[in-house]
Amino acid sequence: NAGVTQTPKFRILKIGQSMTLQCTQDMNHNYMYWYRQDPGMGLKLIYYSVGAGITDKGEVPNGYNVSRSTTEDFPLRLELAAPSQTSVYFCASSYSIVATHDLDTQYFGPGTRLTVL
Amino acid sequence: GENVEQHPSTLSVQEGDSAVIKCTYSDSASNYFPWYKQELGKRPQLIIDIRSNVGEKKDQRIAVTLNKTAKHFSLHITETQPEDSAVYFCAAKFAGGTSYGKLTFGQGTILTVHP
């Protein structure tokens, strides 16, 4: 298994541009997450999904959008990029029992380093 | 809302010493507490986790203890080695409301092990 993969690894955007960060997992996990990690800081949840067709906001959703059309893919869309969105973005996935929300290990992708100038 | 406090923010030890990192959480219904290690420029990776029905769990040089009454849990690393140097994050899964399967992370501890 490749686990959780993310593309691109690095990207520089100009203010006002848009882009989509791709995330794919091949572990048949139902839960998927997007986090951002600012330099020297912890992980903040942007959006998450408990299954295909279901998404919900995390702690810092403003300026981002997500969709979950398949179990494997969970793209993150940035519209009108701003310097405040300069960060490292991590996608993660886990298997959880939906009825009880019991969590199994959360696996992270390698991250996308985004700079907005 | 959910809150996880992690201390200390930095920890410096000599090789062979023990290191302890502590976290407190706000929601007494929390039931899953993982610890992640993140090396510079790498992704966070799970090193150990504990569920609320267990008080302690060990894996070689790493152990985690959970005190549900006091709402805190700790990571213990014994016989530290330079390769243990990294940022360590605690997290808690809150069981109430609309939290579903979300984890809330602590702020991180930068551990430096000096040879």
Side-chain angles (χ1 to χ4, degrees), chain A residues 2 4 31 33 35 37 40-43 45 48 50 56-58 90 94 96 100-111 113, chain B residues 31-32 34 36 38 40-46 49 51 87 89 93-95 97-108 110:
Chain A
V4 182
Y31 281 43
Y33 312 81
Y35 296 91
Q37 185 176 36
M41 304 294 285
L43 295 153
L45 184 65
Y48 68 105
V50 302
D56 206 349
K57 296 178 181 178
F90 288 102
S94 68
S96 300
T100 60
H101 303 300
D102 279 338
L103 268 186
D104 203 344
T105 303
Q106 199 167 115
Y107 294 91
F108 285 80
R113 187 174 298 273
Chain B
N31 57 10
Y32 174 64
Y36 284 84
Q38 186 178 30
L40 189 63
K42 301 284 184 65
R43 74 189 81 185
Q45 292 197 301
L46 181 78
D49 58 12
R51 298 186 188 273
V87 181
F89 291 99
K93 187 215 132 183
F94 294 87
T98 58
S99 294
Y100 297 109
K102 294 189 293 186
L103 291 176
T104 297
F105 285 83
Q107 299 86 346
I110 302 172

Side-chain angles (χ1 to χ4, degrees), chain B residues 39-104:
Chain B
E39 297 176 349
L40 189 63
K42 301 284 184 65
R43 74 189 81 185
Q45 292 197 301
L46 181 78
I47 54 172
I48 196 167
D49 58 12
I50 192 168
R51 298 186 188 273
S52 57
N53 57 348
V54 175
E56 183 176 2
K57 185 177 178 180
K58 280 187 177 181
D59 183 4
Q60 299 183 330
R61 297 186 296 109
I62 294 172
V64 57
T65 58
L66 172 64
N67 184 326
K68 289 175 59 179
T69 302
K71 292 188 286 186
H72 68 69
F73 56 111
S74 300
L75 177 71
H76 305 253
I77 305 174
T78 59
E79 300 173 22
T80 54
Q81 301 166 2
E83 51 265 39
D84 293 330
S85 297
V87 181
Y88 291 80
F89 291 99
C90 64
K93 187 215 132 183
F94 294 87
T98 58
S99 294
Y100 297 109
K102 294 189 293 186
L103 291 176
T104 297

